[in-house]
Amino acid sequence: MPSTGLHLGLSTLFTRKKLLTEQQITAAIAKSRKSKQSLVTTVIADQLISAKKIAELCYEEYGTPLLDINEFDLSSIPEEYLNKKLIEKHQCLPLYRRGNRLYIATSDPTNIAALEDFQFSAGLHAEAILVEDDKLIAALEKVLEEDISALELDGMDDEALANIEVSDTDKRDDELGDGKDDAPIVTYINKILTDAIRKGASDLHFEPYEKRYRIRFRIDGILKEVSEPPVNLSNRISARLKVMAKLDIAERRVPQDGRIKMKMSRTKSIDFRVSTLPTIWGEKIVMRILDSSSAQLGIEKLGYEDDQRLLYEKMLAKPQGMILVTGPTGSGKTVSLYTGLNILNTEERNISTAEDPVEINLEGVNQVHINLKAGLTFASALRSFLRQDPDVVMVGEIRDLETAEIAIKAAQTGHLVLSTLHTNSAAETLTRLINMGVPGYNIASSVNLIIAQRLSRRLCQACKTPEVIHPDELLRLGFSVQQIEQGVTPYKPVGCEHCTGGYKGRVGIYEVMQMSDEIARTIMEGGNSLQILKQAKAQGMRDLRDSGLLKVIQGVTSITEINRVTSF
């Protein structure tokens, strides 16, 4: 966690040089405390001063040596000085040793506490080296995460692939038979899993058919076939995956669920959620890659427009009420909820979650895995939470009237409740609760905010190209007359070595609906989702289509992609 120490020398420098006003500095300090980021990072994130300007200013003011860390060989850093706890706490990076001096990369040379901590840890005199903040953060991510792409998985030989460590499974490998016969299968499976990680896949599908066996990756929301092993290996592949997930390899008649943890390197491990399903030709196995870093992205990186983000943050700051996130499976609801929980996750709050299953572990949050066979349901977990003095409660999904009623009662009695539903829009979420049997007056008095969302593929910035579309067609697609008059330049995918079919990564598209007196009145009067939507748009809400078209104007995605993920 970055240090939030308020290094007054730097804040005073900003005001003395008239780069920031007293009000801006006060607001930046408050935001720094809340977000647990350094003052430098906060000022840069709010685009008040550039990282380059701060580095140049500190160089002139304090005479600290300035380094372009992009030109520095990070692999040369002595491992004995990589104190991960201190690096994360202070956002500083030990670079090299000269004699009895250890040189520390920092974007804030007034952070004396950081230098003292590294000096005490290493037993050497610590000297500051000035680095631009954005470049320093990128370097920290490379060092701490040991990015999978840097492991050069394609270059790993069979022995290295076969020896990738899988937690607590070695003792069961003998169930597969002779070790020599299984070594190629072990190597092949490890290669498939590491390829999926390297390519940024979210899911892997292992699918047996009568005359073929195929393996597909879901990359940026789209399935793509990557391998077709011999069909006679079907049972051995599924057996190996089930051993890794600690499932019963003899049971092939019923579905099973498990989990795999693969240790990729000294500091990097990856979790997979595994689901098996018996089909007429064998067991289909789907694995979801659980990326804990997605929960740490920060709300500003999820794709919310500024007004939507501020509204979400405003509702998270309320002491009670309900925030609902809605959308189909795979639309990013979990990331939105976890991001909100990260904002709320402070020492002062008691946070409990009920999830099915727990996908990402959050330190400081009491997470409960729902177990229907044992009688641990969302409703029963929620009842227990309310007996344990919670401040914030997260319910993985509201599936029935019982869970909805308990969640609403919690929201009405001084608790902040976060949850999800499977509906297509924010307005339909309210009518869905009514159809469950929740009285309209309870919905109106408890729900603070509803977020409906989708995930759209991002255009590759290296190869996207402008697309010429006639203004009449733009109008038909949903762009407003004002937007067209101001100039709309859509981009289309091309495809290059840096992307997949012209797209790279995904971005969220949102409609964020705040409960207002007018919407509450519409609900109380028995209004339908169309009437609720009309009222929400009248008070300024952008629906999913409008938000998507805004992303097109910004050059983030294409019209084709927005047509795919939103109704048209």
Side-chain angles (χ1 to χ4, degrees), residues 223-234:
L223 280 170
K224 182 180 180 181
E225 184 171 330
V226 295
S227 183
E228 189 175 338
V231 69
N232 63 346
L233 295 179
S234 171

Side-chain angles (χ1 to χ4, degrees), residues 6-11 13 58 62 106-113 115:
L6 304 177
H7 312 124
L8 298 179
L10 211 52
S11 59
L13 179 62
C58 290
Y62 304 113
T106 178
S107 59
D108 181 2
T110 69
N111 189 355
I112 304 302
L115 297 178

Side-chain angles (χ1 to χ4, degrees), residues 322 377-386 393 395 398 400-413 415 417 438:
M322 182 180 289
T377 63
F378 283 116
S380 62
L382 195 46
R383 284 195 191 92
S384 297
F385 291 167
L386 297 180
V393 171
V395 185
I398 294 178
D400 50 51
L401 177 60
E402 183 183 16
T403 306
E405 287 180 333
I406 300 170
I408 284 175
K409 184 178 293 184
Q412 292 173 333
T413 55
H415 308 91
V417 179
V438 180

Side-chain angles (χ1 to χ4, degrees), residues 20-307:
L20 297 178
T21 65
E22 292 285 353
Q23 291 80 5
Q24 287 175 316
I25 277 291
T26 302
I29 289 173
K31 187 171 182 180
S32 174
R33 284 175 173 154
K34 184 177 179 182
S35 65
K36 298 180 181 177
Q37 290 182 323
S38 70
L39 181 60
V40 174
T41 302
T42 302
V43 168
I44 293 169
D46 289 346
Q47 298 183 341
L48 299 175
I49 313 175
S50 70
K52 185 176 181 181
K53 178 66 176 176
I54 292 176
E56 291 174 348
L57 183 66
C58 290
Y59 172 70
E60 294 172 2
E61 186 72 16
Y62 304 113
T64 309
L66 184 60
L67 170 73
D68 183 357
I69 202 167
N70 289 347
E71 302 299 322
F72 186 83
D73 181 8
L74 297 177
S75 64
S76 68
I77 298 174
E79 288 194 14
E80 62 266 30
Y81 302 125
L82 288 177
N83 186 320
K84 184 178 180 182
K85 186 176 180 180
L86 291 182
I87 291 172
E88 291 179 336
K89 177 182 178 182
H90 294 296
Q91 295 291 276
C92 296
L93 183 62
L95 294 180
Y96 58 88
R97 174 183 177 177
R98 291 289 184 271
N100 67 340
R101 294 179 182 272
L102 181 64
Y103 291 86
I104 311 293
T106 178
S107 59
D108 181 2
T110 69
N111 189 355
I112 304 302
L115 297 178
E116 289 177 346
D117 282 354
F118 278 104
Q119 185 167 302
F120 180 79
S121 172
L124 298 170
H125 183 73
E127 293 276 356
I129 297 285
L130 194 57
V131 174
E132 292 175 33
D133 190 73
D134 51 354
K135 293 181 180 179
L136 177 59
I137 290 174
L140 290 172
E141 289 176 354
K142 288 181 181 178
V143 171
L144 291 176
E145 296 297 331
E146 289 191 13
D147 187 53
I148 291 302
S149 61
L151 296 177
E152 299 180 353
L153 298 171
D154 282 340
M156 294 175 73
D157 56 26
D158 288 351
E159 183 180 358
L161 284 166
N163 289 327
I164 289 178
E165 182 182 336
V166 181
S167 297
D168 301 326
T169 58
D170 293 346
K171 61 186 178 184
R172 297 185 57 185
D173 281 354
D174 57 351
E175 296 180 39
L176 283 172
D178 186 277
K180 291 183 180 179
D181 292 339
D182 293 316
I185 293 294
V186 171
T187 301
Y188 177 71
I189 293 296
N190 287 348
K191 180 67 164 63
I192 289 291
L193 299 187
T194 51
D195 276 351
I197 296 165
R198 181 176 54 80
K199 292 178 180 178
S202 59
D203 301 87
L204 299 82
H205 292 243
F206 296 81
E207 302 168 315
Y209 298 97
E210 182 180 12
K211 295 181 179 179
R212 63 187 292 243
Y213 189 99
R214 72 175 178 182
I215 299 173
R216 294 188 291 172
F217 294 168
R218 187 179 295 277
I219 301 173
D220 295 337
I222 305 297
L223 280 170
K224 182 180 180 181
E225 184 171 330
V226 295
S227 183
E228 189 175 338
V231 69
N232 63 346
L233 295 179
S234 171
N235 289 339
R236 294 177 66 189
I237 290 174
S238 62
R240 172 61 188 167
L241 291 172
K242 287 165 73 175
V243 165
M244 294 172 72
K246 293 177 275 191
L247 302 177
D248 183 355
I249 65 171
E251 180 56 79
R252 300 179 181 177
R253 300 165 299 172
V254 297
Q256 297 185 68
D257 294 302
R259 204 174 179 110
I260 294 172
K261 179 183 285 291
M262 288 186 67
K263 189 171 179 61
M264 308 302 300
S265 68
R266 181 173 54 84
T267 60
K268 184 75 173 182
S269 61
I270 300 290
D271 287 343
F272 298 82
R273 193 177 79 201
V274 183
S275 172
T276 73
L277 180 70
T279 71
I280 58 174
W281 304 115
E283 287 180 288
K284 173 176 179 176
I285 297 178
V286 175
M287 304 174 67
R288 169 158 289 186
I289 299 176
L290 305 178
D291 184 6
S292 58
S293 64
S294 64
Q296 312 288 338
L297 282 177
I299 193 170
E300 67 282 349
K301 295 185 180 179
L302 298 186
Y304 287 93
E305 302 301 330
D306 288 343
D307 57 333

